[in-house]
Amino acid sequence: MNKNKFMESYIENLQRITLKNFAETSDKDRYFALCDTIMELINQEWRNCKNRTRRSRKAYYFSAEFLVGRSLGNNLINLGIYDEVKEILSEIDIDFESIENFEDDAALGNGGLGRLAACFMDSAATQKLDMYGYGVRYREGLFKQKIENGFQVEGGDHWIKDGDGWSIRVESDSKIVKFRDQTVKAVPYDMPMLGFENEQVNTLRLWQAEPFEEFDFSYFNNFQYDKAVEEKNRAEDITRVLYPNDMQREGRVLRLKQQYFFCSASIQDMVSKYKRYFDHDLQFEDFSKYHIIQLNDTHPIIAIPELIRVLVDENGIEFERAVEITKNTFAFTNHTVLQEALESWPKDIMLEVCPRCFDIIKKLNENLVKEFKEKGLSEEAIDPYRIIRFDQVRMANLAIVMSKSVNGVAKLHTQILKDDTFKNWYKLMPEKFNNKTNGITPRRWLVYSNIKLSNFITEKLGSDDWKYDLTKLKDLEKYLDDEKTLEEINQIKFENKKELAKYILENEGISINPNSIFDIQVKRIHEYKRQHLNLLHIINLYHKLKKNPDMDFYPTTFILGGKAAPGYFRAKAIIKLANEIARVINNDEEVNDKIKVVFVNNYRVSYGEKLFPAADISEQISTAGKEASGTGNMKFMLNGALTLGTYDGANIEIFENAGVENNYLFGAKVEELNEIYDSYNPKEFYYKNEDIKDAVDTLLSGELNDNDSYMFLDIYNCLINPQGGEKADTYFVLKDFEDYKKTHEKINKEYSDRLTWARKSLKNIANAGYFSSDRTILEYAKDIWKL
Ligand code: 7GP
């Protein structure tokens, strides 16, 4: 990059878009001018990629969520001009950080599934894989969380209200999407997805819903102004807001409309391009040779009947042929075994949204049943496989029949899919099933967010090749017994902790000690993730310190964060509990130099970028068998935190890679929980274990105040006093408590041996290579996509 040219065009852009003199421009102006300048810089390469890949086999990642976060810093890193641009800006007295902070997160996802999609976009481009992302351009992303009096309050997230520096509206590629009761225009916004220092620029295409006709003048001319506006709103409603439920199906008509909307537009886009660039193949003989669609969980499955519809109804392909083509075009990823997330759509809703797709699904179901009957299966034996049963369309079944591949996202998770969730299918078609353990992009989650550690690694390894091939980190092991290196590791962690402490003071108003252990649990709030186990332990620890102020104890800061789905009362109760515990403990002078508790407000990608580098302990404490993989666990590991975790999801693979002796494993395993499931009685643990009783009783003792919301009663009840047919403590919080507590005690003791700790930390960093999403995406490309 030519520095002078960059500076020139930056200033030119700044003045052109603002009509102001340089000195009068605001941070916002400066941010958008920088976006423009970078978009100009990559324009050529982006076009080159689009042109080059017109006739190549491509993978299409269909996802209702892409949790991208901020793009500025990451794009500069991937372009290899981060330092230079910072310098250029400082030469004209612009502080990079202040304009960087102007960027709102693109929070177009809820949690793991959406963030994984974003990591995959980064890795595909970095590995020079031609992968196209298709999704929804929600006007409002995931709600902003505010904490008022300890309660979560949701606010809007109109992330593009000031503009969108990273998208190009491609009006000419607009598509018409027809619902039973309305017709809308789908307008694509393309975001460049940059490979790391390699000139590959892939595209993330997000569709926005707009009225088919901007303004209906017939209404207007008849003075029916509100009617004219109504139609416009009804169209825009479709992509107005991301549903904020993580792991919970949402049965509303509008949700299915969102799904059908982006799937239909995407399928039409693919088919029309195919007809344009492969104009000799009107029979679509080669369609599946050039397209493979990866379905990110059940949300985009409606794309399957939609492809059949477009082939049959709009291109005259015979139904059976269309089915064959489709079967070779789709692959399906499952991201959770929680039943409440598995989508099924009532026939009525489907008829209301996309009746023709329902017809097609019905036919597919009939064919399936017929085939099974011919094989001699009884009606009953066929039941688990039916795509439609009791007038419900079971989306996962549809995807499994119609896909060439079905995968889970960590070893244990895939095993559970085979043994349990999809066991009937596995019996029938074992060859379809495979595992793709998740990963994270090291560019965002280390190079960009932990510059100190990143530079240190490059210095120690004598090259920055590890940024392209993360398994190279393994070579760091030669420093395992080098005291100087270990001290440097501790120093870097300390610096990062100081930075986080400063940020937390500014944002949460809580002062924390960077010399204390930073123990962090950040993720969506969910019972299966067991934030309440963490909190019950803190309560008990607090009481112990009160009783015994001179007890041997290494000061610890417990940091929690995450959003609760707005309708999930118990998750919101957990947030209130965290804040209430924080209030009591942080105001108690007897203990607050030993423990502090922080609930960070509005946890999101850009907050994570500050938290992961500063963690000593990574809390990954889900009930065994419930967390499909987890990816936060990988971000912590890569940044040198030790995992305090159960034998669940990708934790298992973290323990395998870094050595369980360098982490803290606790809790019951899946097999044990399966065995005791029916006989489990949490009350036994409650009565037999004083610490458990102490912690649980505190929920109702009056020491903690839930402001008459009955929230703490709800948590109490769910643990030991089930209401209305509910089972008590289904997530085995009390069962695992004692082991969790003991493991914490061990951590607390071992932390003071700072060199041994640093050695463990280095072991984790050195073995994090496996968890690069580069590895994951290459596995998809090789095993499933054949790219
Ligand atoms: C999540 C899983 O809970 C998490 O364990 C995994 O790491 C992540 O996907 C990426 O694979 N699942 C979801 O976010 C989700 O919403 C239901 O799944 C649709």
Side-chain angles (χ1 to χ4, degrees), residues 112-113 116 246-247 297 299 335-336 409 438 528 627-631:
L113 163 144
L116 184 75
D246 178 69
M247 324 275 305
D297 218 275
H299 320 134
H335 291 269
T336 181
V409 290
N438 283 164
Y528 87 81
E627 188 69 271
S629 160
T631 44

Side-chain angles (χ1 to χ4, degrees), residues 295 301 304 332 394-403 406:
L295 298 170
I301 289 175
I304 291 174
F332 169 56
R394 305 192 289 184
M395 301 307 273
N397 282 6
L398 173 59
I400 298 172
V401 195
M402 295 300 293
S403 295
V406 178

Side-chain angles (χ1 to χ4, degrees), residues 519-578:
D519 176 307
I520 309 186
Q521 185 178 25
V522 282
K523 48 181 83 247
R524 287 298 290 255
I525 311 293
H526 205 294
E527 286 165 278
Y528 87 81
K529 295 178 188 284
R530 299 198 298 190
Q531 282 92 353
H532 48 333
L533 172 58
N534 188 348
L535 295 171
L536 289 171
H537 171 256
I538 297 171
I539 292 174
N540 181 238
L541 179 65
Y542 168 57
H543 289 161
K544 282 193 176 135
L545 284 166
K546 288 288 278 183
K547 246 190 250 155
N548 188 359
D550 298 324
M551 141 181 154
D552 200 13
F553 183 75
Y554 205 104
T556 302
T557 303
F558 294 97
I559 299 170
L560 294 96
K563 293 177 185 177
Y568 188 174
F569 182 80
R570 195 163 290 157
K572 290 183 141 179
I574 290 172
I575 290 177
K576 174 65 178 169
L577 181 61

Side-chain angles (χ1 to χ4, degrees), residues 230-247:
E230 209 176 276
E231 275 306 300
K232 178 166 164 17
N233 287 344
R234 238 164 61 81
E236 290 173 356
D237 276 346
I238 293 171
T239 54
R240 192 168 313 276
V241 61
L242 166 77
Y243 279 102
N245 313 340
D246 178 69
M247 324 275 305

Side-chain angles (χ1 to χ4, degrees), residues 381 384-385 417-419 422-431 433:
Y385 300 101
L417 293 184
K418 292 177 182 177
D419 295 347
F422 298 143
K423 64 168 184 278
N424 295 301
W425 290 106
Y426 179 62
K427 256 190 268 163
L428 219 62
M429 35 189 86
E431 69 291 343
F433 285 75

Side-chain angles (χ1 to χ4, degrees), residues 12-106:
E12 213 177 278
N13 281 335
L14 187 53
Q15 296 177 335
R16 177 176 51 80
I17 63 177
T18 63
L19 275 179
K20 293 180 197 162
N21 299 321
F22 177 74
E24 301 164 64
T25 55
S26 66
D27 281 349
K28 177 174 131 187
D29 301 332
R30 294 168 180 197
Y31 163 75
F32 279 109
L34 190 53
C35 295
D36 275 12
T37 313
I38 295 167
M39 288 292 264
E40 281 164 18
L41 198 67
I42 62 180
N43 186 280
Q44 173 86 47
E45 278 154 16
W46 197 2
R47 273 183 294 128
N48 289 348
C49 275
K50 284 202 174 190
N51 292 336
R52 178 179 57 72
T53 60
R54 279 205 172 126
R55 290 184 173 80
S56 64
R57 175 171 171 84
K58 286 195 283 292
Y60 297 84
Y61 203 79
F62 275 43
S63 180
E65 305 188 3
F66 286 89
L67 219 185
V68 174
R70 291 178 176 168
S71 291
L72 175 58
N74 198 251
N75 283 347
L76 291 175
I77 291 281
N78 283 12
L79 289 168
I81 57 172
Y82 183 83
D83 293 330
E84 277 127 301
V85 168
K86 248 178 147 166
E87 256 171 56
I88 293 171
L89 293 177
S90 80
E91 277 167 34
I92 46 176
D93 271 339
I94 296 183
D95 173 33
F96 180 72
E97 218 170 281
S98 61
I99 62 170
E100 191 177 30
N101 283 333
F102 188 81
E103 182 170 4
D104 252 327
D105 280 41

